[in-house]
Amino acid sequence: MIFLPKSDKVVFYSILPLVIGVLGFFITVGFFMLHQALPSFMRFGVDLLVSSVWSPAEDPGREVYGLAAPFLGSLYVSALATLFALPLSVALTFSTTEILPRHVAGLLRNVVEVMGGLPTVVYGLWGSLVLSPYLRDSVMKPLHNYLGFLPIFSCRPITGYSVLTASIVLATATTPYVTALLIEGYGMIPAKYKEGILSLGATRYEVFKLLLGLLRPYVIASSLLGFSRALGETTIVALTIGNAVKPTLCIFDPTHTIPSLIASQFESARLYTYALPTLFAGGSLLLAVSLGVSYVGIKMIYTWRGRIHV
Amino acid sequence: MSGDGGKSSKALTLVLLALVAASFSVAMYFQALNLMRTAGTSTTTSTASSVLTSTSPAATTRPWGSVTLSGAGASFLAPQMFEWSRALTETVGLRVEYQSVGSGAGRDMFFNKVVHFAGSDPPLSRELHEQYAGGVMQLPVVVGSVVIVYNIPEVPEGRSICLSSDVMALIYRGDIRYWDDQRILDVNPDLRGVLPHQEIVAVHRSDSSGTTSVFTAYLNKASPEVWSKGLVGFTVDWPVDAVGRGVGGKGNEGVTQVVKTTPYSLGYVELSYAITQRLPTAALRNAEGVCVKPTDQTVLNAVRNSTAFLPQSPLDDWSNVLPQMLNPPGRDSYPIVSFSYIFIYRTYPDRAVVEALREFIRWINTEGQERMVPGYLPITEEVRRVNLKAIELLEVGGT
Amino acid sequence: MSRNLLARKLKNYLMTSLTLLTSALAVIPLASILHAAIVEGGRTLLEAGVNFLMELPPTPLSSSVGGVAPALLGSVLATSLAIIISGPVAFLTAFLVTEFPNSIFSKAFEVVVRSFSGIPSLIVSMFVYSVVVVRMGTQSLLAGSLSLAIVVLPYTYVYFTSAMRSVPETVREAAMSLGMSRFQALRHVYVGVSRKYILTGVLMSCVRAFGDTAPLLFTMGFLMNSVFAGLLQPSNSLPVLIFAYALSPYEVFHRVAWGATLLLIVIYLTLFSLTRGLLRGVRL
């Protein structure tokens, strides 16, 4: 910061207190969570992470909790959602930047933005009432019947509330965010690259493919940020995942994510001694993972941005 | 690039200002509406007429002044509380607001003095009751009941299956696998040949709920050798899930939805959901060995037949009431019934609040009991008499 | 035409079509959502008419659907307050972080704030409950707005940083070469160039605040027997109302919940298209 001109320094130092204030505030919230979670960490230790039970009792001595299922569920569902969202986002980016005529592209972009802003309650209700019965009858049952020998399709789809349903709805809701990031990154590639490629007589697809190659770190970073956002989504998942405390690999099984566990158990958590601290422990765990993933993602974006503008 | 910066940022500011201004003028409008409403002014404004006509008896002396009582807690109580609070506003002029956040959260708000009263499915535990001895009153205000809904296409309309607590416990443990299991047929001799050889899907609540706690407490009381104490609570580690035939639904709504769309399933829900969703409900074999369908009458019989055990004061320990009420004696008693409670303090520093609570308690134990929402049943005379003692016990005093 | 070129053109054609198809797939859910909301909610809105905006919500024994006035007003006020609180903070911090990306504070801020957009907002609700509500002794519109402001801050911030970054490097350099200070450049150039993004950001944050349930659950209270009680008194909101009513067994409650959902969508789409229309006008 020593090399900045004086007027810039004034700007920097006048806003800095605000930045530090907000930063401090969010760190306080983080500590608040950890503080609330402490009794649970002290009581259950490592068991909290490796076992999966949710067994409250009025007598604190008989309470047992383990977050393995919801924690793995969170990672699994968010990873699947990101996996589904990525091709959609890349396709939307290609369509709006290279293929479609300008006004159609603008329209599509608006539609995607509309989707990005829709309240998550709406997605959740749609997922549980419209999508899950449809998925159960037209997707899960055939897949289970023909490909049931694969572990991920091995369980019988009973209700439609499942890992698959939750990840698809989550992917739908995350796509606009990842798309926005990708379009932003795509726009950041200096024009000279595209001009260069075009002057060699490349087709549109080839241009996009080459530029996408250039964009690869950015794509990975956007996926990480999308993943991190999917991790914390509560409403959608709570309404579509089926809420069962059972670790599973099969995508037709119901399971839990940490936010859906919080949403389901919060109502009576305060009736018990360790239930609420355990929910907070889950929240802290989620925050830690989310912080880590976001950090890597953002770092990648910064590095890439520095490299591309040479 | 388009437009010059100044112009467009001005446009931006304008849009923002317009949004803010619009929202505040809307606010003012509604507040005006509201003021007119509380003042009881009769106006002829056409659009808002229905809001305005329902004015309270103005000018009569109200010892509680303009206090709004706030309560929070059990979601089970919410529809009945919504009904009561509206009626209270319209007939007596006392404003009560209730929010459904769950028994646990409601209790926390109550003990933190964020709300005046709490709604709770379970009464205070023995330990908590001792801790607050003499300070907190518990009033059972409605009777609820848990019913078993099922979806078996083969059972014709007009006939219903009967289940015993042993059979249900074995189903939820995963030990009874098919609908034509001998143990089910033993209870339903007339359905032999009707019940199909199909796997039973057992549906339960996935979120924590008072309904689960009542249902599992019943299984434990009626069939202790099949359903152990460890499987009782707001959330249960369902053994049937482990064998892949158990499914969780979120809320009563979720359970009814799953049962509706899943052939050969059964689930437990509150009576109101069975009534409004028109699902077939199972008869249950009660303590005298009679199969009884859930109706207003059979549920009330159950409450009446168990009142001998009830505490005689709101200040007493109510923690043992639920197990005593379940599976009560009497040939016509439906076996799964429970109370929902409200908690209030014995003393409040504000006189207006005390007066408001007195009126609230008087009203819900008298007129309020005639305004029951489908699925909720009024408490018996005897319980009302106990509840009304709270009016005398309430005092103005330090926190 | 050489075979090679033909193959490349064919591939281009194939991949373009595939991309368009995939893009279509991505927006199908929106159509499905709108369809469901219009079919279910439309009936309620038609039945209740304009009174839906002005009457108190029904009780289970009510014969008519009534309205959602307390929830609508509560939502509008809480959202406005939340944006008024979080908007300026997000704007200034976004400015600092995009202008001085190499500062250690910027990096830390970016990571921490972006991560907080990922935690369950229920936790924020619990924080505000313990810190504000318990101390004030009552739930209130103000506490709800604070909770919402904290939840939307990261979103507003992310939108504002993209807005700042949408300013092309050339414009940035041009502004600097005119000898503008950073504040001058921000006021006269960046805001103009990126206004579309800023407005979108404000709007999206509004919508996000308007549609979020969890932050209000323990902080805002519930109100159904009067339309408005005061800033420091409990209030109601559309999403909490939808949740409370959608999960109940009563048909009249379900109808209100669907009506409120459609209302939420209609308000959102109106705001969205209005802003777009206005922007197009400015551009000319």
Side-chain angles (χ1 to χ4, degrees), chain A residues 127-145:
Chain A
S128 70
L129 298 177
V130 181
L131 188 69
S132 77
Y134 171 79
L135 277 182
R136 177 183 64 172
D137 297 337
S138 330
V139 178
M140 298 189 197
K141 282 189 175 158
L143 276 177
H144 174 66
N145 290 344

Side-chain angles (χ1 to χ4, degrees), chain C residues 66-269:
Chain C
V68 292
L72 181 62
L73 182 66
S75 276
V76 169
L77 288 180
T79 306
S80 319
L81 269 175
I83 299 299
I84 289 169
I85 298 168
S86 72
V89 176
F91 186 76
L92 287 174
T93 48
F95 173 65
L96 183 126
V97 169
T98 42
E99 286 300 301
F100 308 96
N102 295 322
S103 152
I104 177 81
F105 293 107
S106 305
K107 285 180 179 163
F109 193 83
E110 180 90 358
V111 173
V112 169
V113 174
R114 274 186 195 258
S115 305
F116 265 88
S117 68
I119 61 162
S121 35
L122 202 58
I123 282 167
V124 173
S125 188
M126 282 147 82
F127 179 76
V128 173
Y129 168 75
S130 326
V131 174
V132 180
V133 175
V134 171
R135 254 174 236 164
M136 281 177 51
T138 175
Q139 295 151 313
S140 61
L141 184 60
L142 185 69
S145 313
L146 266 177
S147 182
L148 270 186
I150 297 169
V151 170
V152 293
L153 181 64
Y155 288 85
T156 321
Y157 166 81
V158 168
Y159 279 113
F160 284 172
T161 45
S162 346
M164 301 283 174
R165 284 187 190 128
S166 75
V167 177
E169 208 58 23
T170 44
V171 173
R172 209 173 282 260
E173 278 157 19
M176 291 296 145
S177 68
L178 285 172
M180 282 183 169
S181 75
R182 299 233 186 200
F183 263 136
Q184 282 171 329
L186 175 72
R187 258 187 58 205
H188 300 296
V189 185
Y190 302 170
V191 172
V193 173
S194 62
R195 67 185 186 282
K196 188 180 153 185
Y197 291 88
I198 294 177
L199 201 50
T200 312
V202 170
L203 190 81
M204 288 304 199
S205 313
C206 273
V207 170
R208 165 87 205 180
F210 208 79
D212 212 341
T213 325
L216 301 175
L217 213 49
F218 310 110
T219 53
M220 185 120 129
F222 202 77
L223 192 67
M224 59 173 292
N225 295 307
S226 59
V227 178
F228 181 66
L231 191 61
L232 298 179
Q233 292 298 318
S235 180
N236 204 333
S237 71
L238 278 179
V240 175
L241 182 94
I242 294 176
F243 249 67
Y245 276 21
L247 294 176
S248 81
Y250 302 101
E251 207 236 329
V252 66
F253 279 9
H254 294 178
R255 276 167 29 215
V256 172
W258 273 112
T261 308
L262 183 60
L263 186 65
L264 206 66
I265 297 179
V266 167
I267 292 175
Y268 168 48
L269 289 179

Side-chain angles (χ1 to χ4, degrees), chain B residues 228-250:
Chain B
S228 69
K229 190 102 191 144
L231 291 172
V232 177
F234 281 70
T235 319
V236 170
D237 203 358
W238 298 95
V240 70
D241 282 7
V243 295
R245 290 194 307 275
V247 192
K250 186 160 168 50

Side-chain angles (χ1 to χ4, degrees), chain B residues 1-9 11-12 15-16 19-20 23-24 26-31 33-34 37-38 46-48 50-51 54 68 70 72 79-80 82-83 85-87 89 95-101 105 108-110 112-115 250-253 272-273 276-277 371-376, chain C residues 50-51 53-62 69 72-73 76-77 80-81 84 129 133-134 137-139 168 171 187-189 191-193 195 198-199 202-203 206 216-230 233-234 244-251 253-254 271 275 278 282-284:
Chain B
M1 272 302 117
S2 54
D4 67 313
K7 212 183 200 172
S8 39
S9 65
L12 177 77
V15 172
L16 287 180
L19 279 177
V20 173
S23 59
F24 275 94
V26 170
M28 287 324 221
Y29 168 71
F30 276 114
Q31 181 152 32
L33 257 186
N34 193 35
R37 182 162 187 257
T38 41
S46 59
T47 44
S50 71
V51 174
S54 54
T68 298
S70 58
Q80 184 61 55
F82 290 164
E83 189 63 50
S85 70
R86 179 63 54 79
T89 313
R95 229 180 265 282
V96 179
E97 297 288 356
Y98 182 82
Q99 57 171 321
S100 100
V101 288
D108 193 67
M109 289 180 186
F110 176 69
N112 272 309
K113 308 224 158 88
V114 170
V115 290
K250 186 160 168 50
N252 283 291
E253 189 77 3
S272 43
Y273 286 83
T276 53
Q277 308 286 319
R371 282 198 181 241
M372 302 310 286
V373 169
Y376 298 77
Chain C
V50 74
N51 286 342
L53 307 178
M54 286 187 272
E55 288 192 10
L56 298 175
T59 60
L61 297 179
S62 299
L72 181 62
L73 182 66
V76 169
L77 288 180
S80 319
L81 269 175
I84 289 169
Y129 168 75
V133 175
V134 171
T138 175
Q139 295 151 313
V171 173
R187 258 187 58 205
H188 300 296
V189 185
V191 172
V193 173
R195 67 185 186 282
I198 294 177
L199 201 50
V202 170
L203 190 81
C206 273
L216 301 175
L217 213 49
F218 310 110
T219 53
M220 185 120 129
F222 202 77
L223 192 67
M224 59 173 292
N225 295 307
S226 59
V227 178
F228 181 66
Q233 292 298 318
Y245 276 21
L247 294 176
S248 81
Y250 302 101
E251 207 236 329
F253 279 9
H254 294 178
L271 273 178
T275 329
L278 213 89
V282 172
R283 187 171 288 168
L284 289 172

